[in-house]
Structures are given as C-alpha cells and as structure tokens.
C-alpha cells in the first residue's frame, strides 16, 4: 500500500516504516511538526518525502494519523478524496478518567488504533471502531554489560511533565547510585534541585544512547501515567534488568523476574540495591527481560498486526462505499418507479 503518514512520534515511526509498504511523509521547507519528513532518520528507501502540494496527485491507499488536527490537513491535501483513515492513539487519557470521551468518539469514517490495552480500556470511543496494536521496536540487540554501577532513565521533557513521568521519584533511586537521564529537555533537570546524582545526558541519537545506556546496571521506568514507553521496551530488548512502576499497561509487558515491578517505590529501591550488589543476578534478570520483550514486542509481530489492520481498514472502507452506492441506487430506482 501507499500510506500517507506524518512524522510525529519518531520512536513509533521507526518501527512502523519497517513494513512492506511505501510511506509518504509530508515535508515542508520549515521542517516543522507538519512537515518534518524523514527528519534525518535512517529509514528504508520506502519512506518517501512528499511536498504537501503534491499529495493531491499522489496515489494514496490509506491515511494513518496521530494527531486530531491531521484530519483537516489530510482532507485538504487529498482535495476531498475519500480515503480510509486509521487514527493512532498514543496517549492514555488525562482528564475525566475513567469517563474520558475520546475526541474522535462516535465516528464511522475512521478506525482508532490504541497502542496499549490500557488505553483502549480507559478511553470512551463510543461507536468508533477500535483495535489495539501493541508496540514493536527495532531490536538493538543484547547490548547490556552493566559495568557501571549507575542507573539509566530516558524521559523526554522531565521538568515540564513532572509527576506524570515520575521525575520526582528519581532522587529515591539516586540515594543508591547515580541516575543518568537521557531525553529532550533533560538539561533543565538542575532546576529541580536534585543535586549532582541525577545527571542530564541530553537528547542523544538512538545508537550512541543505547550503547551508553547498556553500560548502566539497570533501567528505571518511573512513569505514573503514560502509555507504555518505547524506551522501556528497548531497554528490555538490550537485556537490561528493569525497575518499573506498575502502572497503566506496564504489568502486561514486564515479568516480575525481569528486574522488579511494583507500585511501592521502596520495593523498587530495594531491588535496585540487589542489582547493584549482585551483577550476576542483574544479568539473569536482564535475560528474562529480553526474552519477554522479544515475545511480546518484536518487530515482526508489530508489522504483521499493522498489515492486518490496514487490510481491514481498506476492505471495510470499500464495503461501506459500495453499500452507500447501492443504497443511493436503490433510492433512485424507487423514486423513478413512482
């Protein structure tokens, strides 16, 4: 298929564009949120940058959206063409939980694909067709060495997002070992007064970040209320033992023996001490983490699930269009009979 899709969530896109399709990614001169294009990423040749003004004449089989404002953009760029739409909901609801009404609730012109079963459970989508395609990632390989008695964390905008991503919990782990923090906006972490044991490492490309992260003894995932983090799944792929807050859909992905998973932060801190003191046990738990990640979040499963969803979206759209056409013909015939 030829899929129109904006570059929004780079980590998710990194897996999505590994399928067997062509991916048309809008690109403008500003390289802003509406036209980032490939964004310098090492993606397959099947990812094609396209100028917004050229979309109207391009062959497009299906549109995959990740922001509600892209609905109007797609309609404008496609010049009103009737193309099947799948909306990827990356986020857990933040307001009126558990009565959170999805902004695309009660629609019959698209399908919502949630990235976790927790999100699907918590969003009220009404009559809009929904499905779940759990995350998959490109396997970085079993890179973990754990040679440094330090913890690794990846959080984008940890100061702005605060308690949602568990930034306030990092000093609890820093009492046991220094915490190295990667991600967008991590240079602001000093504003929180955590001291020198929570260390900003900046926004680093995946390859060098993965290798540096794999040197840390364990990965800490303190997120309270977000979708399942891709960085957590990548750390598990790297055979890192993980210390995970047992919220949202994390318990579905993380076995207890992959490190530790709990809502009791002190229980996680105690487990972190064990991993620091016993590198062999850390290695054993990291192996469990990798096995679990490969089984649930492998790239082949992810792309196969998306193939099924895209086939279904196109088929359902074709059938609905045929039904509308047949209905219109029946009405016309009935009118002429009168």
């Amino acid at each position: 298929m030829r899929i129109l899709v904006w570059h929004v969530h780079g980590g998710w896109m990194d897996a999505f564009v590994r399928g067997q399709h062509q991916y048309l990614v809008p690109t403008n001169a500003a390289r802003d949120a509406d036209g980032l294009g490939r964004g310098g990423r090492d993606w397959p040749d099947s990812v094609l940058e396209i100028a917004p003004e050229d979309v109207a004449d391009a062959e497009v089989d299906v549109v995959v959206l990740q922001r509600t404002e892209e609905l109007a953009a797609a309609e404008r760029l496609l010049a009103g063409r009737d193309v099947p739409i799948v909306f990827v909901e990356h986020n857990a609801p933040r307001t009126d939980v558990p009565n959170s009404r999805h902004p695309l609730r009660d629609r019959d012109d698209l399908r919502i694909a949630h990235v976790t079963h927790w999100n699907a459970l918590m969003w009220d989508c009404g009559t809009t067709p929904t499905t779940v395609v759990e995350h998959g990632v490109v396997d970085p390989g079993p890179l973990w060495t754990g040679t440094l008695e330090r913890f690794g964390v990846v959080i984008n905008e940890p100061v702005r997002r605060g308690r949602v991503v568990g930034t306030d919990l990092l000093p609890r782990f820093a009492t046991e070992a220094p915490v190295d923090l990667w991600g967008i906006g991590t240079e602001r972490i000093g504003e929180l007064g955590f001291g020198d044991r929570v260390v900003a490492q900046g926004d680093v490309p995946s390859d060098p970040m993965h290798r540096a992260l794999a040197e840390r003894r364990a990965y800490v995932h303190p997120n309270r209320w977000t979708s399942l983090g891709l960085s957590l799944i990548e750390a598990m792929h790297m055979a890192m033992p993980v210390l995970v807050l047992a919220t949202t859909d994390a318990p579905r992905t993380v076995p207890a023996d992959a490190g530790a998973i709990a809502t009791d932060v002190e229980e996680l801190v105690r487990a972190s001490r064990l991993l620091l003191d016993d590198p062999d046990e850390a290695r054993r738990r990291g192996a469990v983490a990798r096995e679990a990640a490969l089984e649930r979040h492998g790239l082949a499963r992810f792309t196969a699930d998306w193939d099924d969803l895209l086939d279904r979206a196109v088929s359902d759209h074709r059938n609905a269009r045929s039904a509308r056409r047949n209905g219109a013909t029946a009405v016309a015939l009935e009118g002429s009979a009168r």
Side-chain angles (χ1 to χ4, degrees), residues 2 13 19 25 49 54 76 103 116 135 144 178 216 232 268:
R2 288 170 63 85
M13 281 280 286
V25 185
E49 294 187 339
D54 293 337
R76 183 179 69 254
T116 73
H135 284 309
W144 182 82
R216 275 64 188 171
L232 167 64
L268 297 179

Side-chain angles (χ1 to χ4, degrees), residues 2-6 22-26 46 48 50 58-60:
R2 288 170 63 85
I3 303 167
L4 179 66
V5 57
W6 277 260
Q22 282 193 328
Y23 306 86
L24 307 180
V25 185
S46 55
L48 308 175
I50 185 169
E59 180 184 345
V60 177

